[in-house]
Amino acid sequence: MINQSVQDQEGYQYIIQGDYHKAASYYEQAIEAEPEVRVNYWYLGLCLLLQGEEEEAPLTWFLAMGETDDDQQIDQWTSELSQVLESEAERQEELDDKQLAWTIRQHLRTINPTDVNNLLSSVHLAMQLKILDDEYLDELNIIEILESVSDYNLINSNLVVKVTQEILEFPPLENYSLDLIKIFTNIIKTQGQNINQFIYTMISGSVKLMSFFTKHSYAAKILDALLLIAPEEPEILIPLSTAYQNSHQHIEGINTAKKLILCSESLPQKIFANHVLIRALMTSTGYWDEACAAINRQQELITALTKKSAIIEHDLFVSRLFTSMFFFPYFQDEPAKMRPLQNDLMSLALKNIEIYDKNIINQYRYYLPSNREKNKVLKIGYISSCLRQHSVGWIARWLFNYHNREQFQIYSYIIMPTANDNGLQEWFIEKSDQSYSFASQEKHKLIKQIHEDSIDILVDLDSISFDYSVEILAVKPAPIQVTWLGWDASGLSTIDYFIADPYVLPENAQDYYQEKIWRLPQTYVAVDGFEVNVPTLRREQLDIPDDAVVYFVTQSGYKRHIEHSKLQIEILKQVPNSYLLIKGQADEDASEKFYGDLAKSQDVDINRLKFLPIMPTEAIHRANLSIADVVLDTSPYNGATTTLETLWREIPLVTKVGQQFAARNSYTMMINAGITEGIAWSDEEYVEWGVRLGKDENLRQQISGKLRQGKKNAPLWNGEQFTREMEKAYQQMWEIYVDKLH
């Protein structure tokens, strides 16, 4: 072993000082004086290496080793030299000279190719230097070497965790990384060290793979491997079920959610676990009875929790409560009954947030602005995870495009940005006066930024579709907070207003809303239009006659309510030579069985049902809408962006108007597009309109003509006018706020 006194010598001090020439001279003289002392050769070679003389360095080392055939002696010298190089590589890394540290480790690998810790450090440095690729990993032969290790306790678990974190952020090496991670999991399990840190690293990495890289199947494989360490850990099962669902492995997603329920102990945990199961069942389609049972159980669990008004044992469980009623509008249209429960749940969650985030609230809850002038330039902050290729992004872009920059400064707070967006997210960044992006672990950093930016009005575009956003709004870092666009109102008392219009909420809605409903004069949403590509679907491809009537349902599996779907089959039954096209994310087999069973129950030939794949882009999807004669809307959860797209393509639409926000989107959009034909107020009217539009080609043409004419002057297609109305609302909200201060 290398004696500490060696590193106290004059030569090593020259190395520390960076005077490698003097250090080399020192060791040359030492070798001349004591040629049998091999450690001087090790340091002389190191000096040459540090001077960039990479070829001379190994010659120096091998010259010293070549003087004996004694394997034991060679092993000892190799160990000494390895220690010298390892120590210097660590020192250079501390000095942040990653390139030199990596170079030293490549020489160390030549000397000792099976040194696992050096291989792991080499991978780590290669990642830092952005030179890691398949070829380099093949050269390292790290997987084969790791598999040959007989004692995992010799491997540095800190390095394992570090490399795991890095390769999870490097999805191009997906297959190689997965094999590596499986071995790492075995190492951590065997050692019993850094288990919690490793699990956290794996979960965080998987969440980023899903949100940023959209690598859902890869994330599922990683999380499944992690079960080897903790097979019943809820924090693994939650993202695993989601990863399965998002990668269309629906049965696995459902089964994992059911396992999660069995592993959940407290009431808040059971609520969220049941929420995960509802999502799994709804994503698939075809599990209607189970989904109904789960939603009823969810209502019972939430009611029990709100009655207890308990202090919840962990802040993580509190934040998860925010989304736990997300699916209720898909099953029932009873806002007068369900919104009070939503308000109670939000009240309980807020009470707990104010306990757990007390210090954050004390620091960053909104301040009294120094500039309280009514006519000042207002700072408007938009917060969302959906400022990208998403329904929210497609619609919100017109507001960003037309904002008056002399009267408003626009800030965007993008949560969990994505790498696969084809430029729309970057467009929002460019259209903002100031834009920030935040990872899922940076909640407090985001709150601090909003506070420091002195935002006057913070506009939430996600509502309870994303717990992160609601938790930010609960802290209330801005004096005025508003929900718009992304979902119904959350029911959180720290949010002042919910943007609506005269149609999307009934007149009595304020009776059961926590937020003040702010009704814009005509429409709560408007766009200038949509990009449309070239159609890729033709009737002959689907074996549909040219003279047939084609109905189209273009909604995700979430929105397929069994009773309403029966109405769609009834329409099909009453219109001869008609077909129903069905498109939307769901389990293909389960979806076909769902609609097939409904068709059989009404004696409708299942060959009249055509199931379409998801289109490569939204623009192609919009182009393919032209294959439809009539689009049939869903209920009690209408289409939103899909309705806008249908109307933009000048296609007649049939919708049933309900009471809740989600059941009135298509109604307000049709009114503001300039048509009333197709608006139904009951199941019977829905069927009547569907049949009438199917049989009356002239009526369909008249509606298309109205929609075409409406593009010239209808409020729905005037993004600039809508922006002025939103800006007027912001200004009035500010004036009300300032008046209250005086």
Side-chain angles (χ1 to χ4, degrees):
M1 300 297 289
I2 303 299
N3 193 290
Q4 179 63 39
S5 63
V6 173
Q7 296 188 349
D8 293 333
Q9 291 175 353
E10 183 181 346
Y12 188 74
Q13 294 308 307
Y14 288 139
I15 292 176
I16 296 294
Q17 295 164 18
D19 195 338
Y20 305 132
H21 181 74
K22 277 189 178 181
S25 297
Y26 173 88
Y27 287 112
E28 285 172 349
Q29 293 173 20
I31 290 170
E32 188 175 344
E34 297 180 284
E36 73 283 358
V37 179
R38 292 298 185 273
V39 70
N40 293 321
Y41 291 89
W42 314 151
Y43 278 103
L44 175 59
L46 175 61
C47 292
L48 295 172
L49 180 58
L50 294 173
Q51 291 180 96
E53 300 178 45
E54 286 198 52
E55 293 183 3
E56 289 78 2
L59 291 176
T60 303
W61 298 326
F62 295 142
L63 177 66
M65 289 189 183
E67 296 182 5
T68 181
D69 294 327
D70 186 339
D71 290 342
Q72 187 174 357
Q73 182 69 73
I74 290 175
D75 287 345
Q76 180 186 338
W77 289 345
T78 300
S79 176
E80 288 179 0
L81 175 56
S82 296
Q83 186 183 351
V84 169
L85 295 180
E86 173 69 34
S87 177
E88 185 60 22
E90 290 177 354
R91 190 178 77 86
Q92 291 298 335
E93 195 168 354
E94 288 175 4
L95 294 172
D96 203 33
D97 193 336
K98 297 181 178 65
Q99 181 63 58
L100 184 52
W102 181 82
T103 299
I104 294 170
R105 289 198 176 279
Q106 303 325 292
H107 286 276
L108 176 53
R109 182 163 62 85
T110 302
I111 295 163
N112 190 356
T114 61
D115 183 342
V116 172
N117 290 323
N118 182 57
L119 296 179
L120 292 175
S121 294
S122 296
V123 171
H124 162 63
L125 288 166
M127 287 289 295
Q128 299 289 305
L129 295 167
K130 302 186 187 309
I131 58 173
L132 186 68
D133 55 22
D134 286 306
E135 184 178 350
Y136 182 61
L137 283 170
D138 287 339
E139 180 187 326
L140 292 181
N141 197 27
I142 189 170
I143 289 179
E144 187 175 330
I145 292 171
L146 280 167
E147 288 175 339
S148 68
V149 173
S150 58
D151 186 0
Y152 279 161
N153 289 311
L154 298 176
I155 300 174
N156 185 330
S157 63
N158 291 323
L159 267 176
V160 170
V161 173
K162 186 185 297 184
V163 172
T164 298
Q165 179 179 354
E166 290 170 340
I167 63 174
L168 285 176
E169 297 186 359
F170 200 66
L173 301 178
E174 186 173 314
N175 293 330
Y176 204 110
S177 298
L178 184 61
D179 291 338
L180 203 53
I181 282 170
K182 288 178 179 178
I183 298 173
F184 287 168
T185 304
N186 269 313
I187 292 170
I188 294 296
K189 181 184 179 184
T190 301
Q191 286 189 359
Q193 296 179 12
N194 286 335
I195 288 179
N196 290 337
Q197 187 179 357
F198 183 74
I199 289 175
Y200 176 80
T201 297
M202 290 272 276
I203 292 173
S204 299
S206 299
V207 169
K208 185 171 183 179
L209 284 171
M210 288 189 279
S211 63
F212 188 74
F213 296 108
T214 62
K215 292 278 188 177
H216 303 292
S217 180
Y218 180 29
K221 292 173 183 176
I222 288 167
L223 292 163
D224 183 64
L226 189 56
L227 291 178
L228 178 69
I229 293 178
E232 296 184 349
E233 172 53 57
E235 296 308 311
I236 301 173
L237 296 173
I238 290 168
L240 177 57
S241 179
T242 302
Y244 278 139
Q245 296 168 44
N246 292 352
S247 58
H248 311 298
Q249 300 176 73
H250 296 286
I251 300 298
E252 293 85 349
I254 291 168
N255 290 337
T256 303
K258 289 179 177 178
K259 183 178 179 182
L260 172 64
I261 288 175
L262 295 176
C263 298
S264 301
E265 298 177 355
S266 68
L267 200 49
Q269 286 177 295
K270 290 177 181 178
I271 288 171
F272 189 73
N274 197 56
H275 169 77
V276 174
L277 176 60
I278 295 169
R279 184 184 192 273
L281 295 168
M282 293 292 286
T283 301
S284 175
T285 296
Y287 294 87
W288 183 254
D289 290 340
E290 274 194 75
C292 286
I295 204 76
N296 290 335
R297 183 165 59 249
Q298 190 76 335
Q299 184 174 340
E300 293 170 359
L301 290 169
I302 292 172
T303 300
L305 182 66
T306 55
K307 285 182 177 178
K308 285 178 63 177
S309 191
I311 302 301
I312 296 165
E313 63 268 32
H314 197 290
D315 60 343
L316 180 62
F317 302 151
V318 177
S319 64
R320 287 174 177 168
L321 290 176
F322 288 126
T323 60
S324 58
M325 289 190 68
F326 175 81
F327 287 104
F328 280 75
Y330 293 91
F331 289 86
Q332 54 196 259
D333 180 23
E334 300 180 283
K337 175 182 176 183
M338 300 315 302
R339 288 219 58 87
L341 181 60
Q342 173 80 26
N343 296 340
D344 288 345
L345 180 63
M346 292 299 101
S347 177
L348 175 63
L350 179 60
K351 182 176 78 173
N352 278 271
I353 285 289
E354 289 177 339
I355 294 172
Y356 285 112
D357 277 350
K358 181 179 179 181
N359 292 334
I360 297 298
I361 290 171
N362 287 341
Q363 278 185 281
Y364 301 122
R365 183 159 280 185
Y366 78 91
Y367 63 101
L368 291 177
S370 56
N371 185 351
R372 306 179 199 178
E373 297 177 9
K374 289 186 177 182
N375 296 319
K376 74 165 193 161
V377 174
L378 291 177
K379 292 184 175 182
I380 311 296
Y382 292 95
I383 178 172
S384 180
S385 62
C386 301
L387 292 177
R388 52 183 170 84
Q389 286 196 118
H390 181 279
S391 293
V392 167
W394 291 120
I395 297 171
R397 59 182 171 158
W398 301 106
L399 188 59
F400 275 66
N401 188 59
Y402 287 119
H403 257 310
N404 183 336
R405 302 313 170 105
E406 293 181 1
Q407 296 179 353
F408 300 90
Q409 289 183 5
I410 307 307
Y411 292 71
S412 59
Y413 301 94
I414 298 171
I415 303 171
M416 296 175 67
T418 178
N420 302 316
D421 189 59
N422 293 331
L424 186 54
Q425 192 161 86
E426 187 61 34
W427 182 90
F428 276 108
I429 293 171
E430 292 173 358
K431 283 290 184 178
S432 304
D433 293 295
Q434 187 67 52
S435 183
Y436 308 90
S437 295
F438 298 90
S440 58
Q441 306 94 337
E442 297 181 312
K443 178 189 69 174
H444 292 162
K445 183 179 177 183
L446 194 163
I447 293 169
K448 181 174 182 284
Q449 189 64 60
I450 293 170
H451 178 84
E452 290 179 351
D453 288 339
S454 302
I455 295 300
D456 298 311
I457 302 176
L458 183 63
V459 184
D460 163 39
L461 304 181
D462 291 349
S463 190
I464 69 165
S465 64
F466 191 40
D467 54 9
Y468 192 132
S469 301
V470 194
E471 199 167 355
I472 301 298
L473 276 290
V475 173
K476 199 174 175 67
I480 301 172
Q481 300 194 148
V482 180
T483 292
W484 173 62
L485 194 59
W487 199 81
D488 203 344
S490 66
L492 200 62
S493 63
T494 53
I495 299 177
D496 303 279
Y497 300 104
F498 178 50
I499 300 290
D501 62 33
Y503 312 101
V504 76
L505 288 177
E507 292 182 4
N508 68 333
Q510 192 62 69
D511 294 344
Y512 44 79
Y513 271 82
Q514 171 68 48
E515 301 87 342
K516 174 71 175 175
I517 298 172
W518 191 288
R519 296 184 191 263
L520 299 178
Q522 293 174 301
T523 176
Y524 86 98
V525 63
V527 299
D528 278 5
F530 293 97
E531 295 82 357
V532 179
N533 210 319
V534 178
T536 59
L537 281 179
R538 295 185 302 276
R539 292 191 175 204
E540 57 264 31
Q541 292 174 271
L542 302 170
D543 197 23
I544 296 175
D546 288 340
D547 61 347
V549 174
V550 175
Y551 294 99
F552 202 160
V553 175
T554 172
Q555 301 290 355
S556 69
Y558 284 6
K559 298 184 179 181
R560 293 173 188 171
H561 191 288
I562 193 167
E563 297 303 326
H564 191 75
S565 298
K566 288 177 182 178
L567 303 181
Q568 295 168 349
I569 301 298
E570 175 63 27
I571 293 169
L572 199 65
K573 183 177 181 178
Q574 292 190 36
V575 179
N577 194 28
S578 64
Y579 292 78
L580 179 63
L581 306 188
I582 301 158
K583 186 182 82 69
Q585 291 187 346
D587 183 313
E588 186 176 336
D589 292 337
S591 186
E592 290 184 12
K593 184 178 186 307
F594 176 81
Y595 278 102
D597 288 347
L598 293 179
K600 288 177 183 177
S601 70
Q602 298 191 56
D603 198 26
V604 171
D605 184 356
I606 60 174
N607 291 315
R608 294 169 67 186
L609 307 177
K610 305 293 182 179
F611 295 88
L612 304 182
I614 301 299
M615 297 298 115
T617 68
E618 288 88 346
I620 292 176
H621 154 71
R622 295 168 196 140
N624 286 335
L625 283 173
S626 62
I627 201 172
D629 294 300
V630 181
V631 170
L632 299 178
D633 197 14
T634 48
S635 179
Y637 205 118
N638 293 171
T641 305
T642 51
T643 294
L644 286 169
E645 291 167 333
T646 297
L647 299 175
W648 180 251
R649 299 290 284 130
E650 302 166 9
I651 301 168
L653 177 78
V654 182
T655 189
K656 177 190 169 187
V657 186
Q659 292 298 302
Q660 64 188 1
F661 175 83
R664 299 170 71 92
N665 267 297
S666 294
Y667 167 49
T668 187
M669 290 172 184
M670 291 171 74
I671 292 291
N672 282 291
I675 61 170
T676 57
E677 296 88 347
I679 296 174
W681 295 88
S682 66
D683 290 348
E684 292 76 19
E685 282 190 22
Y686 183 86
V687 174
E688 288 171 8
W689 269 118
V691 172
R692 183 180 172 189
L693 287 171
K695 291 182 175 180
D696 192 338
E697 183 178 357
N698 288 332
L699 179 58
R700 296 200 301 268
Q701 290 176 353
Q702 290 173 21
I703 295 170
S704 295
K706 283 187 175 182
L707 289 170
R708 192 174 307 114
Q709 182 65 29
K711 288 180 179 178
K712 299 177 182 178
N713 51 26
L716 193 65
W717 311 124
N718 194 332
E720 186 171 8
Q721 177 181 307
F722 169 76
T723 302
R724 299 289 85 80
E725 296 294 349
M726 282 286 279
E727 290 177 340
K728 184 178 179 182
Y730 291 156
Q731 188 63 50
Q732 289 174 346
M733 291 173 189
W734 178 253
E735 290 172 2
I736 292 170
Y737 173 73
V738 171
D739 284 341
K740 287 181 179 178
L741 295 179
H742 295 299

